[in-house]
Amino acid sequence: NEYGKIIADTKGNQEIKDFVYEVKTGADIFINEISKKVRIIQAIERKNDKAVYLEAKKDDKIIIRNRRSGDRFYPSGMDGSKKLKQYFIDNKISRKHRDMIPIVEINGVIASVGTRVDRHFLFKNHGIRIEFIDI
């Protein structure tokens, strides 16, 4: 029973290992743990698509990882910060899916959780476009 839904799962609870990948702008990487390909490119305008647009410079250190205990970010459209655990609970994301949501970190600060952008990294004039492609 997950958030009022009865789930029948024959695969069992496969635990996702912690992962950390450093990504350069203009590169594609494959994240084996969540079966996704990640593509990051420079962007000068935001298009109406499912990609994540973040304010960042070409030489910023970009990390893709999964959640860690005590993670906190500032969701756009909200006042103050929110613990990642509480964010997942509020958005009814099941425990088994929480480790599969990619977190983008720029220069050591959480910039996005999945497609939810931290308000400090909202795309303005230029930045990066991140695509998460299911493989």
Side-chain angles (χ1 to χ4, degrees), residues 71-132:
D71 276 346
R72 182 177 285 275
F73 80 120
Y74 294 83
S76 58
M78 291 181 58
D79 292 330
S81 66
K82 188 158 225 155
K83 283 190 172 183
L84 207 53
K85 179 180 179 179
Q86 192 60 47
Y87 172 76
F88 288 146
I89 291 168
D90 292 349
N91 287 283
K92 298 183 171 143
I93 297 171
S94 67
R95 288 182 183 168
K96 71 179 187 175
H97 291 109
R98 294 176 189 174
D99 284 330
M100 297 176 65
I101 295 176
I103 295 171
V104 178
E105 206 178 81
I106 298 176
N107 297 329
V109 179
I110 293 177
S112 76
V113 176
T115 57
R116 185 69 183 262
V117 177
D118 183 290
R119 72 173 179 240
H120 298 105
F121 293 90
L122 287 173
F123 189 86
K124 295 174 187 97
N125 300 325
H126 63 282
I128 57 173
R129 178 180 188 269
I130 303 174
E131 291 179 72
F132 296 103

Side-chain angles (χ1 to χ4, degrees), residues 32-49:
N32 191 42
E33 292 84 354
I34 60 174
S35 300
K36 289 193 185 286
K37 180 177 160 182
V38 179
R39 176 176 294 148
I40 299 179
I41 59 172
Q42 286 293 119
I44 55 172
E45 66 179 338
R46 183 178 178 154
K47 297 179 182 175
N48 193 12
D49 58 11

Side-chain angles (χ1 to χ4, degrees), residues 7-13 96:
I7 307 293
D9 189 358
T10 58
K11 296 179 184 175
N13 289 334
K96 71 179 187 175

